[in-house]
Amino acid sequence: GFSAATLQREDTQEVIKKIGETINLFQTKDEELREFLSQHERESEENLVDKQIEPKTALFKQYLNLFAEESSLDDAIYYLAEALRNDVIDIQVFLKNVRALARKKFMVRALMNKVREQTNKCEIK
């Protein structure tokens, strides 16, 4: 007859067999995934999103950089206001920094307008 030890050994052998099958499956899937990733890394290097939306001329690139700078200045002013609202900074620190950022934003916006005028001149020609 079957003893408890024999049944336990058969159960253990079955578990070991299933573990081996699972390891083989994981190794196969790992190889497939590595192949997929290496193939798509090559494709992604060829089709980088940044290259797809990169400005074609220096003026457009300058305008894009100015736009990003203006947005970052807006963000900085917003977070200064939040810091003031939460009593992290006092009103003097807030006003001093907002004035400096607003001056810089004014200059950025003025330069953006000049670049926009230049790009319009280029498009008319």
Side-chain angles (χ1 to χ4, degrees), residues 23-72:
I23 288 172
N24 288 336
L25 177 66
F26 278 129
Q27 287 172 339
T28 303
K29 294 296 180 184
D30 182 57
E31 289 172 16
E32 290 174 9
L33 184 60
R34 287 179 192 278
E35 183 179 324
F36 176 84
L37 288 174
S38 67
Q39 179 182 358
H40 283 79
E41 281 176 1
R42 286 189 297 266
E43 289 175 7
S44 67
E45 287 173 5
E46 295 168 4
N47 298 319
L48 290 174
V49 174
D50 290 342
K51 290 194 179 205
Q52 298 295 324
I53 62 169
E54 188 173 287
K56 302 296 182 206
T57 66
L59 275 176
F60 290 127
K61 186 174 186 175
Q62 183 181 15
Y63 189 81
L64 181 65
N65 288 336
L66 288 167
F67 184 82
E69 186 175 353
E70 182 189 26
S71 296
S72 69

Side-chain angles (χ1 to χ4, degrees), residues 15 42 53 63-64 76 86 88 99 104 109 115 118:
V15 168
R42 286 189 297 266
I53 62 169
Y63 189 81
L64 181 65
N86 293 322
V88 175
R99 266 188 250 124
K104 190 168 186 173
R109 182 136 323 157
V115 170
Q118 291 298 314

